Amino acid sequence: MISVVIPLFNEEDNLKLLHEKLTNVLTTLNQSYQIIFVDDGSTDGSAAILAELFEHDTTVQVIHFRRNFGKTAALTAGFRYSRGDIIITMDADLQDDPSEIPAMLAKLNEGYDLVAAWRHQRQDPLDKTWPSQLFNRAVSFFSGLPLHDFNCGFKIYRRVVTEQIPLYSDFHRFVPVLAAGQGFRVTELAVQHHPRQFGVSKYGLERTIRGLLDFINVLFMTTYLKHPLRLFGSSGLLMFALGSFIELYLASLWFLREWFMVTVGPIGTRPLFTVGILAMILGIQLVSTGLLGEMLRYFTFQPEQEYSINKILQRGE
Ligand code: UDP
Ligand code: MG
């Protein structure tokens, strides 16, 4: 079974057309399917239209949030209530084209666990595409995952992916990174993208900034979460060593003057003195941060999160 999960927030003018286009495509697949609309606290006429769709189409399921919780939360709820082995997520604003679904499914069946749509000719205003492109380059570079478009809401997953990757914070755009980090096979497919016809975009520039901070978080979680002391401790030790070396040097100057009457100026007023002390304090702080990180990790440690099993060959009892 295929589950299509659609998060939406005030999309009244798009829903009917989306449902129609989607149904046209899904019925050609000869596979059972369900369409799950997750209404993220819409305040326009979306609820009434969803009620109508639910009334006339038995494949439709609707989840209404009490208020606006954000797209990530909507996706999480959609995953939780879906039953398909394959899950498709797409935006409700008709910018993603349902006619791409068969091609994306075919790509998935080449042996992937996640296929992300790549809007290679993205139809959005420049103030959105440009920061997004920068963001994509940075994420791709630092994560080592060669995708072009992380922000697109159009993706196809095998169910295991949605079950194993918890969507924390605004992490929906990092699922490919997190999934690849778990060893899932992730790829992309270039798709058509349309300009928004009805309704308004729910996001602005602040999303890029939030996305960047989230990315630092993701990088940390995927690469260093397991060894916080190694990350903070190594730079901390280095700092501390540097600071100690500087202070030792200054101290030896002091002894040279006091004991051997060598002429050197006062050391307490030298900038190097302050730099040395700063480096030592910073070093101690970095090591303590690493230790705190280890402590948190120790107390929240869950052995089954240390690996991701693909399959097990095993004889029955
Ligand atoms: N959306 C949502 N909750 C929110 C904001 C947006 O469910 O708080 C939905 C929105 O209705 C749309 C999708 O997320 O289906 C993508 O939003 P939008 O089209 O505004 O983003 P853009 O395409 O402009 O990046
Ligand atoms: Mg959109």
Side-chain angles (χ1 to χ4, degrees):
M1 184 184 222
I2 295 177
S3 298
V4 183
V5 174
I6 303 173
L8 65 112
F9 178 51
N10 293 344
E11 305 281 3
E12 56 182 353
D13 297 320
N14 291 308
L15 295 175
K16 269 195 183 149
L17 195 56
L18 173 68
H19 173 260
E20 187 189 318
K21 287 190 171 191
L22 201 54
T23 305
N24 284 342
V25 174
L26 291 173
T27 43
T28 60
L29 293 176
N30 289 324
Q31 222 171 332
S32 60
Y33 68 87
Q34 59 173 179
I35 304 175
I36 303 177
F37 289 101
V38 188
D39 172 11
D40 185 12
S42 295
T43 50
D44 64 352
S46 296
I49 293 166
L50 291 176
E52 204 178 306
L53 293 176
F54 175 74
E55 181 90 11
H56 294 108
D57 183 350
T58 54
T59 66
V60 168
Q61 190 176 329
V62 184
I63 299 169
H64 288 289
F65 279 179
R66 253 181 249 289
R67 64 167 174 85
N68 181 252
F69 283 95
K71 190 172 167 183
T72 300
L75 287 172
T76 302
F79 292 161
R80 163 98 166 63
Y81 288 96
S82 67
R83 282 177 291 125
D85 333 298
I86 290 176
I87 297 175
I88 303 177
T89 60
M90 62 191 308
D91 289 355
D93 56 4
L94 289 169
Q95 290 196 264
D96 302 326
D97 199 326
S99 66
E100 301 281 2
I101 288 177
M104 291 195 41
L105 278 173
K107 190 81 193 171
L108 191 79
N109 287 331
E110 280 175 23
Y112 292 101
D113 300 305
L114 196 175
V115 180
W118 166 27
R119 301 163 291 185
H120 63 299
Q121 284 168 328
R122 188 170 170 185
Q123 305 291 325
D124 274 320
L126 266 186
D127 66 307
K128 195 173 263 186
T129 50
W130 190 77
S132 176
Q133 217 162 56
L134 216 71
F135 174 85
N136 283 323
R137 294 248 168 91
V139 175
S140 165
F141 178 79
F142 285 108
S143 67
L145 187 64
L147 298 192
H148 292 88
D149 191 356
F150 290 89
N151 291 319
C152 188
F154 196 11
K155 294 189 177 89
I156 298 195
Y157 311 83
R158 284 188 199 285
R159 178 164 204 94
V160 276
V161 179
T162 64
E163 277 172 355
Q164 284 201 11
I165 311 280
L167 290 184
Y168 172 78
S169 181
D170 266 348
F171 279 14
H172 60 87
R173 59 178 71 90
F174 299 113
V175 176
V177 177
L178 296 167
Q182 288 287 311
F184 287 111
R185 282 149 304 172
V186 177
T187 190
E188 68 182 356
L189 187 74
V191 300
Q192 294 261 354
H193 188 242
H194 304 290
R196 201 186 238 282
Q197 269 184 297
F198 311 107
V200 289
S201 170
K202 313 299 183 295
Y203 296 108
L205 188 66
E206 84 281 356
R207 169 173 61 178
T208 314
I209 296 163
R210 259 195 261 160
L212 223 57
L213 287 175
D214 275 352
F215 181 55
I216 296 177
N217 198 353
V218 166
L219 263 190
F220 181 70
M221 305 264 252
T222 48
T223 53
Y224 285 110
L225 182 69
K226 292 196 168 153
H227 310 287
L229 188 58
R230 288 190 201 164
L231 173 68
F232 293 106
S234 46
S235 46
L237 283 182
L238 217 76
M239 276 285 177
F240 190 78
L242 182 77
S244 315
F245 179 76
I246 290 174
E247 296 308 324
L248 271 177
Y249 164 71
L250 291 176
S252 57
L253 286 187
W254 188 85
F255 280 116
L256 278 181
R257 190 181 63 196
E258 295 297 311
W259 293 359
F260 304 102
M261 307 298 167
V262 184
T263 46
V264 285
I267 58 165
T269 51
R270 292 181 62 173
L272 196 61
F273 180 69
T274 323
V275 170
I277 289 182
L278 201 69
M280 286 174 80
I281 294 178
L282 209 69
I284 293 173
Q285 286 196 330
L286 282 170
V287 173
S288 328
T289 307
L291 284 171
L292 273 178
E294 291 288 347
M295 213 161 96
L296 278 176
R297 178 160 153 72
Y298 180 78
F299 286 114
T300 54
F301 184 71
Q302 287 168 319
E304 66 278 8
Q305 280 185 4
E306 299 296 297
Y307 51 79
S308 172
I309 292 176
N310 189 7
K311 60 183 158 197
I312 298 178
L313 300 182
Q314 175 179 50
R315 278 175 232 293
E317 293 297 303

